[in-house]
Amino acid sequence: MNRYGAEKPDPWRVPVVVEKIPDTGLHRELEADAAALKAIAETGDLREVLSAHASLDVTPKNGGRVHVTGRVRARIGQFCVVTLEPIESDIDEAVDQIFAPPDQIPELADLVDDAAESDAEIPDPPEPIANGIIDLGRLATDALYLAVDPYPRKPDAVFEPLVEAEDPEDHPFAALKALKVEAKPAGGKKPKGK
């Protein structure tokens, strides 16, 4: 099972062996092919992904860590939540992620927790380097999914609730009113003096 809860492999894989990253770092321009676009759409529950591009800089850091920065740009298709018509939107999301050897993750996660208690900007928790590999495609896919609007709307779409004229006999106390009418005495007036 992958991180999206699916039984499928990650939709876009671009593995990089950490040992082969030069000291000066490297730059990668990634373009998802048709199969990856389809898999990204299916895994992300999107109508379609028309394009996905990532421009990433990979820089080695002290202690075997790797810092990845850059941008992910994509064009996705969804359905408008108001009109249910197909719409397209553009994604442009920044990427800033640290990868670390698995044994360093608890220590680095504590630093993130400490930052959360202060007024400083909270960094993302580090991702583990799995078997000496970081996956730039997976990182780009995560950034794309984070940028997806969960409630997309066409620019001119306006939600107008259905307005129905109120039926005076159709309210919560209509049944009680009917009981009250039936319970009235037939004579109409109470006898005096009794």
Side-chain angles (χ1 to χ4, degrees):
M1 186 177 290
N2 68 15
R3 70 179 1 180
Y4 312 108
E7 296 286 336
K8 303 174 190 175
D10 289 324
W12 188 12
R13 294 194 41 93
V14 183
V16 173
V17 178
V18 172
E19 288 181 354
K20 294 187 177 182
I21 299 171
D23 291 341
T24 57
L26 55 91
H27 178 79
R28 290 286 184 260
E29 294 289 331
L30 311 176
E31 194 73 41
D33 62 17
L37 293 174
K38 183 177 180 190
I40 293 168
E42 288 174 3
T43 303
D45 199 23
L46 300 168
R47 182 174 53 85
E48 67 182 326
V49 178
L50 301 157
S51 66
H53 175 84
S55 180
L56 302 172
D57 292 309
V58 182
T59 309
K61 297 292 183 185
N62 295 343
R65 298 178 194 144
V66 177
H67 189 198
V68 181
T69 58
R71 297 204 80 72
V72 174
R73 291 178 176 86
R75 183 139 183 96
I76 62 171
Q78 295 174 278
F79 290 101
C80 174
V81 294
V82 176
T83 65
L84 301 181
E85 294 176 52
I87 59 172
E88 292 179 3
S89 53
D90 292 313
I91 302 277
D92 186 356
E93 186 73 6
V95 173
D96 188 354
Q97 183 66 55
I98 296 286
F99 288 85
D103 61 330
Q104 294 180 19
I105 297 294
E107 174 190 337
L108 293 171
D110 288 343
L111 293 174
V112 170
D113 290 342
D114 292 344
E117 294 173 8
S118 72
D119 290 337
E121 184 176 330
I122 302 170
D124 288 333
E127 288 287 325
I129 297 171
N131 301 318
I133 294 174
I134 61 173
D135 192 337
L136 299 181
R138 181 182 201 172
L139 178 62
T141 304
D142 286 352
L144 185 153
Y145 289 152
L146 285 173
V148 170
D149 182 353
Y151 304 105
R153 305 175 103 151
K154 287 178 63 173
D156 58 346
V158 177
F159 177 73
E160 294 182 18
L162 182 61
V163 178
E164 295 180 16
E166 285 192 36
D167 180 356
E169 297 300 319
D170 186 28
H171 58 81
F173 299 108
L176 291 175
K177 183 179 178 184
L179 289 174
K180 184 178 176 186
V181 170
E182 290 175 13
K184 283 188 178 178
K189 290 186 177 180
K190 291 184 183 179
K192 291 185 177 179
K194 286 194 180 180

